[in-house]
Amino acid sequence: MDVDLRTAKADPHDELAARLRLLQDLSGLGVRALARDTGLSSSSLSRYLTGRTVPPWPAVVALCRFVKRDPRPLRPLWERASNPLPAPPRSSRQGRPRPRNDLPRDVPDFTGRETQLAAVLAAADGHRVVAVDGMAGVGKTCLAVHAAHRLAADYPDAQLYVDLHGFTEGRGPVDPDSALRMLLAALDVPSERVPQEGVEQLAACWRSELAGRRAVVILDNAADADQVRPLLPGAGPSVVLITSRNRLVGLDEVPPVSLDVLSPGESAALLARASGDPGGPDGRLARDPESAAEVLRLCGHLPLALRLAAARLRHRPGWTVGILVERMAQGADEFDTAFAMSVRQLDRATARMFRMLGLLPGTSFDEYLAAALADVPLHSARAMLEDLLDAHLVQQPTAGRYRLHDLVHQHARRAGAEQDAPAERERALGRMLDYYVHTAAAADAAMPYLSPGRPATAGSPPAEVPRFADRNAAFAWFVAEYESLVAAFETAAAVGADTHVCELPRFLRAYFARRCGTTHLNALFERSLAAAERLGDPLHLAEAHIDLGFARYNAGRLAEAGAAYEAAEPWVSRAGDVRSEAELAMRRGYLRWDEGHVEEPLHLFGLAGTLYGAAGCPAGAAHAAASEAWAMLQLGHREEAARRAREVLGFPHADPAWPPALTARITLGVAIADEAPDEAVEHLSTALALAREDGHLHNEAWCLNCLGVALRRMGRYEEALACHREAFALLDELFEEHWKIRFLDGYAETCRLAGRPEEALALHRQALELAPELGHRYEEALAHEGIARLLDTTDPAAAAGHRTAGLSLREGPGPGTH
């Protein structure tokens, strides 16, 4: 197949997306594999392929080079798609990315269960929800996964899987709040559209998202009906398959399908298939039918135990079935019989790793964590995991990721408690927590954030951690490890590893900003502060108060943010840490601006830049300089703001979406809108494209609003209004209402100059209603002044009252960007 990269149709956005899809077809890879091999994020690549986002040019080059095609013929088409105004985002309103498929691998030796499979498929067709129940190891998950794979073609929009851990030893069931957030994230629902509080609100959002999709969802290992009920679909065609060891009698409307052990014939067929027995008179099972029957009895006719026993026969061609029976005879029950027999075939080091894996709190893991947990080199960990895969003691749902069945996890945990010294288990647990903190720190360092983080100090760094080539690789790691990271945090809190509790949430901030919203982060930082108080270390206390303050600020809780910053100040002084002092100055600058103190932030940002420079942190100084430029612009100092923004853009940095550069581009674009309109639009369009590529709706709305302000200054009122409307279309999807206050007055001013005074007045009044509630004195002052301008000719007395109220609320000269 060849690809013509030169032909262009009328719509450059659609045509560029079509050309990129041809490149994908040429690669022969799915979205995830292509993203991995080209160093892009799968979510970004999905947006490029569907035309929702215009990719940055380096991404186009990476795709072309991967399939050995010259990217240069695509450059004119890319430029038409990118300038002068980027295409509007093609979110769920305009088309969706390719479907998410989280289903575990369907077992190749699925045997029997014809009646039960038919019942599951019929219930899915008629009721759209079905619950499969039965004892541990009876094959509930296997049946649900097999049915889901059969259904996948008829439910193409998503195939999702969530382990609810209803019966996992050592951890509690997943609460409905967390399960709903995982499911919504799996549908690629932006965090800004996910309610921050309340299971009922989350469930309504989940039902709304499912209503327009044909999706199949597996809810595995449910504890009870109460855990599952909020996760069920409402209107729409999607289906849900539930598995549980208990009969979910509380779900009267959900038809049950109960599983018993396999019949003797089904058990024999599964043992033969899973062991690779050729059958017929020459097969090992046929040559010794009495021993074969004893294997079935010892396994209790349970599929999980049968597969473990079969794995021994498959990998021991010299064994007779009688030898297998002898090796199995030591077990206490059918599970321990099968597990212990499988473990006995491992060498000592691999058996030790297996027992160490019983300490894991999360659902899945990679080879790096296994190496750290067992304290072995990475190449040894890989070899051991291959042996454990062969023994059916671990599963590999996707390349590079491993998981333990609940029963296997329990056996590993019990075996470790019996065979390993408590001190050794404690050291292994410490290595696991060290791994998560230090690897999260490495991933965080590859992602852009407001200021660079401090290296991890908890425990000791592992010998090897994954390498994160860029922020896309780091983000993919956070997505894969999110549940395990939260479980590691809970484990650290449970065992009193307070330094880990203090540090781990710090390295999740950039990820949370793009995916998880503010409520959960506030809760994590509250617990980090409690851990810091137990430690009594001034630096940890300073950082914990600062982090909690910024989490409060991002949640629109300005008074609480101010209290946290005030509490941080004495600890910053006691710690004598210049970087923490700089970070506190930056955070207070943002807060003081919103509180209406418009001169003080300029001083605070300048102070932060000086302190970051003294601390040898040039990236932090760039963040401070970009914020300083923005503050200058707000105060009307456009020439100084433009000069400072150009200085920031001159800072060397490999990531074009680096936050200081994004802020500087926006600032520069607005500052020079009057004298250099073409350059201004170029900077703002670039910033908008980068924000879209980063998947950050808050930043995208900010860019659109500022582009609207710049276009208004050029007299291009209709284009300006279109940008404002698009920004507010995004903001209407956000559940964090406080973000709207940042854009209302600028939108209103554009409406006024465009000859729409009634719309302008309504927007100013909306700001006037919202600002006092949130504590945004600056925006409240702007609203009063905007209303005064609108009422000058029709009601001078009322205008004077608003003007006086505005002056009393703020300091300094008039605004520069509104």
Side-chain angles (χ1 to χ4, degrees):
M1 173 183 176
D2 201 0
V3 181
D4 182 0
L5 301 180
R6 294 168 295 183
T7 306
K9 296 179 181 177
D11 186 337
H13 309 102
D14 291 342
E15 181 59 8
L16 179 61
R19 295 297 175 221
L20 296 181
R21 290 194 295 272
L22 287 174
L23 294 175
Q24 183 200 4
D25 292 340
L26 188 61
S27 75
L29 299 176
V31 172
R32 290 183 182 179
L34 182 58
R36 181 189 65 239
D37 290 346
T38 55
L40 304 173
S41 77
S42 57
S43 60
S44 295
L45 181 57
S46 293
R47 291 195 294 273
Y48 305 158
L49 295 173
T50 56
R52 294 169 60 207
T53 302
V54 177
W57 179 243
V60 178
V61 172
L63 291 168
C64 289
R65 286 179 176 171
F66 183 74
V67 295
K68 298 181 173 56
R69 290 295 183 271
D70 183 359
R72 287 174 294 183
L74 274 178
R75 181 74 189 199
L77 176 59
W78 177 83
E79 289 177 348
R80 288 198 300 277
S82 302
N83 295 302
L85 294 177
R90 303 199 170 191
S91 65
S92 58
R93 301 182 302 275
Q94 299 175 349
R96 299 191 181 95
R98 294 197 176 189
R100 172 83 171 249
N101 188 336
D102 292 336
L103 296 181
R105 185 178 66 94
D106 192 11
V107 294
D109 55 18
F110 185 85
T111 302
R113 305 295 197 198
E114 289 89 355
T115 301
Q116 294 87 350
L117 177 61
V120 169
L121 296 176
D125 182 55
H127 296 268
R128 298 188 299 111
V129 182
V130 59
V132 180
D133 61 77
M135 66 183 293
V138 80
K140 302 180 294 296
T141 301
C142 188
L143 174 63
V145 169
H146 186 70
H149 279 279
R150 289 274 298 268
L151 292 166
D154 293 328
Y155 296 88
D157 294 332
Q159 298 88 42
L160 307 182
Y161 171 89
V162 172
D163 189 341
L164 297 177
H165 291 291
F167 305 92
T168 301
E169 186 176 348
R171 64 170 294 173
V174 176
D175 60 87
D177 183 290
S178 299
L180 286 163
R181 293 186 190 281
M182 284 189 282
L183 288 164
L184 289 166
L187 287 181
D188 206 25
V189 179
S191 65
E192 297 85 355
R193 281 172 37 204
V194 178
Q196 292 302 302
E197 296 181 1
V199 170
E200 291 184 5
Q201 291 83 353
L202 283 166
C205 180
W206 165 241
R207 291 192 297 270
S208 174
E209 291 294 334
L210 278 189
R213 290 176 165 89
R214 294 187 63 85
V216 58
V217 183
I218 296 179
L219 304 176
D220 199 16
N221 287 324
D224 52 37
D226 290 338
Q227 184 190 26
V228 169
R229 191 173 289 106
L231 316 182
L232 300 183
S238 294
V239 301
V240 172
L241 313 180
I242 309 165
T243 76
S244 178
R245 295 185 193 176
N246 297 328
R247 183 77 174 266
L248 301 179
V249 292
L251 300 179
D252 296 332
E253 73 280 12
V254 176
V257 174
S258 297
L259 294 190
D260 200 348
V261 298
L262 295 172
S263 69
E266 291 172 333
S267 299
L270 176 57
L271 182 65
R273 293 184 66 185
S275 65
D277 189 83
D282 295 329
R284 282 182 286 179
L285 297 172
R287 290 200 302 269
D288 191 352
E290 291 184 4
S291 294
E294 183 65 7
V295 171
L296 303 185
R297 187 191 69 79
L298 289 171
C299 289
H301 298 281
L302 289 163
L304 177 60
L306 286 164
R307 287 192 174 91
L308 288 165
R312 293 300 93 217
L313 280 179
R314 188 174 67 252
H315 294 287
R316 299 292 187 275
W319 277 16
T320 64
V321 184
I323 293 175
L324 175 64
V325 171
E326 291 175 7
R327 298 297 177 95
M328 293 177 65
Q330 303 302 315
D333 57 32
E334 57 269 15
F335 297 119
D336 279 339
T337 291
F339 298 150
M341 178 270 302
S342 294
V343 172
R344 282 197 298 271
Q345 311 312 311
L346 304 173
D347 61 53
R348 179 174 297 181
T350 306
R352 174 180 171 274
M353 172 181 274
F354 173 71
R355 297 193 301 272
M356 295 291 103
L357 292 175
L359 296 170
L360 293 176
T363 341
S364 65
F365 60 96
D366 62 14
E367 58 196 22
Y368 290 93
L369 175 57
L373 188 65
D375 197 20
V376 299
L378 185 62
H379 66 86
S380 300
R382 289 186 183 127
M384 293 177 190
L385 288 170
E386 286 298 318
D387 289 342
L388 292 171
L389 275 171
D390 289 343
H392 280 236
L393 290 169
V394 301
Q395 301 166 344
Q396 190 174 33
T398 58
R401 302 294 301 176
Y402 302 87
R403 71 187 302 271
L404 296 174
H405 186 283
D406 273 358
L407 293 174
V408 180
H409 196 176
Q410 291 171 19
H411 181 84
R413 199 179 186 89
R414 288 196 299 269
E418 293 169 0
Q419 300 177 40
D420 299 323
E424 184 179 2
R425 288 165 58 79
E426 185 176 341
R427 287 192 295 270
L429 190 63
R431 290 193 298 270
M432 179 194 72
L433 296 177
D434 291 350
Y435 170 83
Y436 276 121
V437 171
H438 285 270
T439 310
D444 180 63
M447 294 185 71
Y449 194 62
L450 291 172
S451 62
R454 182 187 308 280
T457 64
S460 302
E464 296 185 74
V465 299
R467 295 179 181 177
F468 303 108
D470 54 28
R471 61 192 170 90
N472 294 324
F475 188 81
W477 183 84
F478 277 119
V479 170
E481 294 284 359
Y482 172 69
E483 185 183 355
S484 295
L485 285 163
V486 173
F489 178 87
E490 296 292 345
T491 300
V495 302
D498 284 333
T499 306
H500 298 75
V501 174
C502 280
E503 294 191 351
L504 184 56
R506 295 208 97 208
F507 304 125
L508 300 178
R509 294 175 301 177
Y511 171 70
F512 268 69
R514 287 158 179 78
R515 176 57 65 87
C516 300
T518 60
T519 302
H520 195 185
L521 193 59
N522 270 272
L524 291 180
F525 279 132
E526 287 168 6
R527 296 171 68 183
S528 287
L529 177 57
E533 290 171 342
R534 289 191 294 270
L535 289 171
D537 175 70
L539 182 55
H540 279 125
L541 280 161
E543 292 179 337
H545 280 294
I546 293 170
D547 285 336
L548 181 58
F550 199 54
R552 300 287 199 236
Y553 172 81
N554 280 328
R557 298 155 66 175
L558 301 193
E560 294 175 73
Y565 294 152
E566 186 175 348
E569 194 163 6
W571 293 112
V572 170
S573 297
R574 286 185 60 182
D577 182 71
V578 179
R579 183 179 292 200
S580 293
E581 189 178 352
E583 186 171 4
L584 180 58
M586 285 281 288
R587 303 294 190 239
R588 294 184 78 171
Y590 304 139
L591 176 64
R592 297 298 280 169
W593 182 272
D594 287 341
E595 289 178 334
H597 304 281
V598 295
E599 292 284 0
E600 186 180 353
L602 192 61
H603 164 71
L604 288 168
F605 294 142
L607 173 62
T610 300
L611 292 169
Y612 276 127
C617 182
H623 282 273
S627 298
E628 190 178 7
W630 176 253
M632 289 175 177
L633 179 64
Q634 305 307 298
L635 295 170
H637 309 322
R638 295 184 194 171
E639 291 185 7
E640 295 175 58
R643 175 185 57 78
R644 199 75 169 114
R646 292 188 192 278
E647 290 175 2
V648 174
L649 290 175
F651 279 45
H653 201 276
D655 188 350
W658 191 42
L662 187 72
T663 301
R665 285 192 183 280
I666 295 170
T667 301
L668 182 58
V670 175
I672 65 174
D674 295 323
E675 62 268 22
D678 291 342
E679 184 186 354
V681 170
E682 180 183 355
H683 283 298
L684 288 162
S685 299
T686 300
L688 178 56
L690 291 171
R692 283 175 173 160
E693 195 276 337
D694 197 29
H696 201 310
L697 286 188
H698 295 95
N699 282 347
E700 185 177 344
W702 182 33
C703 291
L704 282 164
N705 184 72
C706 291
L707 181 56
V709 170
L711 291 169
R712 175 227 298 161
R713 289 207 176 136
M714 301 170 198
R716 296 158 63 175
Y717 296 132
E718 291 306 314
E719 293 173 80
L721 286 171
C723 287
H724 287 302
R725 287 171 185 145
E726 191 176 341
F728 270 75
L730 289 176
L731 292 172
D732 283 340
E733 298 179 2
L734 306 183
F735 283 81
E736 296 175 318
E737 187 74 9
H738 59 279
W739 267 86
K740 288 187 176 182
I741 191 62
R742 304 177 189 275
F743 309 109
L744 283 165
D745 289 309
Y747 187 6
E749 180 65 5
T750 301
C751 288
R752 183 182 74 85
L753 293 174
R756 300 170 181 265
E758 292 183 0
E759 291 181 41
L761 190 60
L763 291 167
H764 280 311
R765 284 178 172 158
Q766 186 179 347
L768 201 57
E769 180 180 348
L770 192 58
E773 176 186 338
L774 296 171
H776 282 254
R777 289 169 57 91
Y778 178 71
E779 301 293 344
E780 186 179 355
L782 290 177
H784 277 298
E785 292 165 6
I787 293 173
R789 282 192 296 270
L790 288 163
L791 297 181
D792 269 336
T793 57
T794 59
D795 192 344
H802 281 287
R803 190 166 284 110
T804 300
L807 288 172
S808 70
L809 283 166
R810 72 189 194 90
E811 308 162 1
T817 66
H818 291 269

